[in-house]
Amino acid sequence: MTDALSYFAMGWLDPWLLMLTAAGTFAGIYIGAIPGLSVTMAVSVLISFTFTWPVNDALALMAGIYMGGVYGGSRTAILLNIPGAPSAIATALDGYPLAKRGEAGIAIGISTVVSVIGGFVGILALAVAAPAISDFALMFAPRDYLLLAIMGILLVGSLSGESLAKGVFSGALGVLIGMVGLDPMTAEQRFTFGSVNLLGGIPYVAAMIGFFGVSEALVQLHTLHMPAIKQQVSRIVPSWKLVKRFLPLSLRSSALGVIIGALPGTGGDIAALMAYDQARRTVKNPTRPFGEGAYEGLVAPESANNAAVGGAYIPMLTLGIPGDAVTAVIIGALFIHGLKPGPMLMIETPHLFWYTVGNLTLANIFLLIFGLTGIRFFTRIVECPKGILLPLILVLSAVGTYAIQNNPVDIYWMLGFGLFGYFLKMYGFEVGPVILGIILGPLMDVSYRRAVISVEDSFPAFLWDLVSNPLTAALTLALAALLLAQTPVASLWKRRR
Amino acid sequence: MNVLRRRRAGESVFGVLLLLFSVLAFVQAYRISGFSSISSAGVFPMAAAGAMVLSAAAVIAGNRRMRPPTDHGGAESVARRFFTDVAPPAVLAFIALVVLYMLTLDWLGFVVGSGLFLFGGITLLHRRGLVSGLLISAASLAAIYVVFRLVFSVVLPAGRLFQ
């Protein structure tokens, strides 16, 4: 316990780490607030600069950016009706009508406070649940990891894309990219075309920066000259009475956010939309009708999306399976720092877990401070023209990719993925599943083959294993339900009901 | 009743290209170890490529159900739509600049390559004149250099041209 506390406080007592967490949170808020600059883009571009840093420094910065970025999107959703990040889509539904009524200041204040409440609920869940899940995860067989990973890719593909087919394609493409190089079990060459450069695989950070940095920047060119709408913001700090009134809803939505965030493949955006929907169905007397400026429509998604941050860290740290696209990028960073997220991480390096919990808590406190101050400075930054911002992002993307191995070939990979990602996005494909596929592909491959080898290469025995063990059977059932929910059978059944 | 969205110009061609790519990937995956064993090195790549083939085919089928990109049809009007909606000239010009920058970065080095790219990019997109473009790009370049090279000690491309 004393050890855990000392690890928890490590980031609080070291001025440099404290500064990095604060800087990450600050940068996250502002990057998340700029429409088109997602938190995934920020994390993937910025982590490339941290590979030479000590792991604690890199983790401190990442925790801040993630926490700040998820919250930052709400600002422009309220002020401009443009969600700065996907997790703020639901926030705009009632946030912007509030701003139009001249209540932008209070709306921002409330969203800040409930985001912080949600953040604390998520962190608490992480601190309590992760050690227990980690112990439980030691019982997981390779087949269970395989099922969890497939579920993660399918969830992110089906929930956030235009169609299941496009989600599956993106996820499978990511898996294929993750397969390039030497097979980890037999050292056979896969998709190397005889090139020595491909033996080590495709650098996944180049893929991440290409898909999230370059392609997003290119897509933003289509909205280059969108006029900025300026809003008057007066008082920000909400009254205690108001906070007290929305506290039960905030806690309820936070609990939902933690659960959604902890599901492999689903993140803050899905959590926020589900919490909004849940609030609309359960709140009897909202301040105003939903969609016309109800504070409840702001409280629910903002609590849930920040609670999902702590939730997303749970499968990442305990199972090595990313909760969403941002945690997929963070897992990539942990690999490069020589760490292997999964149940053994909690046993071999418990200090890292408690250090992360401490950092997230610290980032949440900074979120409250930065969220309730500096609104004038904020409006200036958000008004920074995209004509300046986009070339800068591309320079940072190129430099960040080069910094990983000082190899110009990585930049060409990044460029190729960026251009491909641009067309994928233009035609309605999500790039999140690609990244999840790249990270989860090798895990799925090894898990599947270990599972099959354990039954002496007998496919019927492998299939029997999927339904005979209670834990595996539950996961198989969940996966089958997920697949079935995407078929016409499910919609037919819903219509009949 | 659901009203299907209009197909974007070039979406059908993109779907077919994805299918072709997926089929090629499947053939390459098969070449790793064929169907020799269900735990061989090629099984999972084949499964991934197979999923790509099937989903790309489903995407093409979905595209066919959508309304066409233009009401008048004809390859010429679709091509015009493509260069308006998907790849307008400004986007293509910027993409060309990005490609040029990234391909020459190792040769020109960070300072010259990024300086030229920032100046070109900001002048093209921000459109406030050459002097404004020059000042903003110089200030941005200096800020990036100070933060990443001097504060965080990130290795930046030195440039083979000047060595």
Side-chain angles (χ1 to χ4, degrees):
Chain A
M1 189 66 194
T2 326
D3 280 353
L5 264 176
S6 68
Y7 298 142
F8 179 89
M10 202 154 67
W12 297 54
L13 302 174
D14 183 327
W16 174 244
L17 294 175
L18 196 75
M19 196 278 286
L20 281 174
T21 312
T25 313
F26 188 80
I29 293 175
Y30 287 86
I31 292 170
I34 296 170
L37 304 193
S38 66
V39 61
T40 323
M41 178 205 256
V43 174
S44 49
V45 173
L46 288 178
I47 58 160
S48 56
F49 295 105
T50 64
F51 291 147
T52 50
W53 296 10
V55 66
N56 287 349
D57 296 15
L59 285 176
L61 191 79
M62 278 185 263
I65 294 174
Y66 190 12
M67 204 54 129
V70 170
Y71 158 78
S74 70
R75 289 281 186 94
T76 39
I78 294 167
L79 290 173
L80 311 174
N81 200 22
I82 306 166
S87 55
I89 291 169
T91 309
L93 299 174
D94 280 280
Y96 187 61
L98 275 166
K100 280 205 293 191
R101 289 171 180 269
E103 296 172 38
I106 288 296
I108 289 176
I110 281 284
S111 74
T112 307
V113 172
V114 297
S115 291
V116 172
I117 292 171
F120 278 127
V121 172
I123 295 163
L124 190 70
L126 171 68
V128 174
I133 291 176
S134 185
D135 287 343
F136 182 61
L138 288 172
M139 293 190 292
F140 278 29
R143 56 178 183 265
D144 302 320
Y145 278 103
L146 173 72
L147 292 170
L148 272 172
I150 295 175
M151 226 186 295
I153 293 182
L154 278 180
L155 265 175
V156 78
S158 60
L159 291 176
S160 54
E162 218 174 56
S163 72
L164 178 68
K166 288 182 176 175
V168 170
F169 183 88
S170 299
L173 174 70
V175 173
L176 201 81
I177 295 171
M179 295 288 110
V180 176
L182 289 178
D183 169 31
M185 290 174 85
T186 61
E188 276 176 84
Q189 293 188 27
R190 301 196 286 196
F191 305 111
T192 57
F193 304 98
S195 164
V196 183
N197 286 323
L198 287 173
L199 290 180
I202 293 174
Y204 48 77
V205 178
M208 286 171 192
I209 297 179
F211 279 120
F212 288 115
V214 177
S215 69
E216 278 193 29
L218 294 178
V219 169
Q220 288 303 312
L221 290 170
H222 288 265
T223 52
L224 197 62
H225 302 294
M226 215 156 56
I229 308 154
K230 290 180 185 174
Q231 287 276 353
Q232 285 296 317
V233 180
S234 50
R235 208 184 117 203
I236 282 195
V237 182
S239 65
W240 171 240
K241 202 177 139 196
L242 210 59
V243 174
K244 219 167 76 178
R245 181 176 170 188
F246 298 123
L247 192 63
L249 176 64
S250 174
L251 291 173
R252 232 171 36 230
S253 305
S254 302
L256 184 69
V258 171
I259 296 166
I260 304 288
L263 287 177
T266 54
D269 44 352
I270 315 282
L273 284 165
M274 288 188 77
Y276 182 84
D277 181 56
Q278 198 252 4
R280 205 174 48 181
R281 283 189 287 110
T282 56
V283 174
K284 293 278 183 283
N285 298 307
T287 40
R288 291 186 194 103
F290 277 90
E292 293 175 25
Y295 278 104
E296 290 82 355
L298 192 70
V299 170
E302 278 306 302
S303 307
N305 62 21
N306 271 69
V309 173
Y313 264 81
I314 297 174
M316 181 186 92
L317 292 177
T318 58
L319 306 170
I321 290 175
D324 60 2
V326 187
T327 37
V329 177
I330 295 176
I331 281 193
L334 293 179
F335 282 147
I336 288 177
H337 281 289
L339 301 166
K340 201 169 171 285
M344 293 313 286
L345 181 107
M346 306 277 291
I347 293 163
E348 288 166 357
T349 50
H351 63 278
L352 210 73
F353 170 72
W354 290 111
Y355 172 69
T356 304
V357 174
N359 264 327
L360 287 170
T361 313
L362 198 57
N364 214 29
I365 293 169
F366 282 124
L367 191 71
L368 188 68
I369 298 167
F370 296 142
L372 295 179
T373 53
I375 190 72
R376 289 221 173 94
F377 180 63
F378 169 82
T379 45
R380 285 270 169 84
I381 293 269
V382 173
E383 283 163 17
C384 176
K386 281 188 188 169
I388 297 172
L389 218 52
L390 298 181
L392 275 174
I393 290 167
L394 286 156
V395 169
L396 289 179
S397 300
V399 172
T401 308
Y402 182 83
I404 306 162
Q405 308 184 89
N406 301 335
N407 186 355
V409 176
D410 291 353
I411 297 181
Y412 310 147
W413 277 116
M414 186 261 299
L415 177 64
F417 287 127
L419 293 176
F420 184 41
Y422 169 74
F423 284 102
L424 283 176
K425 284 181 170 200
M426 290 309 293
Y427 292 126
F429 289 81
E430 286 286 325
V431 292
V434 183
I435 299 302
L436 248 76
I438 294 175
I439 295 292
L440 291 175
L443 173 79
M444 288 161 75
D445 179 34
V446 171
S447 302
Y448 162 76
R449 286 159 72 193
R450 279 189 188 149
V452 169
I453 290 167
S454 72
V455 290
E456 293 166 356
D457 270 15
S458 161
F459 199 65
F462 169 69
L463 291 180
W464 174 244
D465 264 0
L466 292 183
V467 289
S468 55
N469 177 286
L471 173 66
T472 316
L475 290 171
T476 308
L477 210 64
L479 184 63
L482 178 66
L483 278 170
L484 205 67
Q486 303 299 324
T487 59
V489 179
S491 44
L492 205 74
W493 183 71
K494 263 186 220 162
R495 235 178 285 151
R496 282 209 177 155
R497 280 188 74 200
Chain B
M1 201 181 107
N2 282 338
V3 179
L4 287 170
R5 74 162 168 85
R6 204 181 265 284
R7 197 164 55 234
R8 291 183 191 102
E11 196 161 0
S12 304
V13 177
F14 189 69
V16 172
L17 288 176
L18 289 184
L19 182 64
L20 282 176
F21 172 71
S22 308
V23 170
L24 281 175
F26 188 82
V27 171
Q28 283 299 325
Y30 175 76
R31 281 186 181 170
I32 298 170
S33 50
F35 292 108
S36 57
S37 136
I38 60 163
S39 62
S40 69
V43 167
F44 222 78
M46 268 201 287
M52 281 168 66
V53 171
L54 293 177
S55 51
V59 168
I60 291 172
N63 287 345
R64 286 176 68 89
R65 283 198 298 272
M66 287 180 197
R67 291 185 294 140
T70 59
D71 289 329
H72 312 296
E76 203 182 311
S77 77
V78 175
R80 212 175 304 130
R81 199 63 188 252
F82 177 80
F83 288 111
T84 320
D85 295 349
V86 180
V91 174
L92 286 178
F94 188 67
I95 287 178
L97 196 66
V98 173
V99 172
L100 198 69
Y101 164 58
M102 294 193 181
L103 293 182
T104 57
L105 184 64
D106 182 46
W107 188 62
L108 288 174
F110 170 76
V111 176
V112 177
S114 303
L116 287 173
F117 170 71
L118 281 174
F119 173 65
I122 291 171
T123 309
L124 179 76
L125 301 179
H126 192 46
R127 294 186 185 170
R128 294 283 190 278
L130 293 177
V131 178
S132 161
L134 193 69
L135 288 175
I136 296 171
S137 53
S140 313
L141 188 69
I144 294 173
Y145 190 83
V146 168
V147 172
F148 292 103
R149 181 75 201 110
L150 303 182
V151 178
F152 292 138
S153 308
V154 172
V155 177
L156 302 171
R160 285 184 282 121
L161 184 68
F162 306 104
Q163 279 176 354

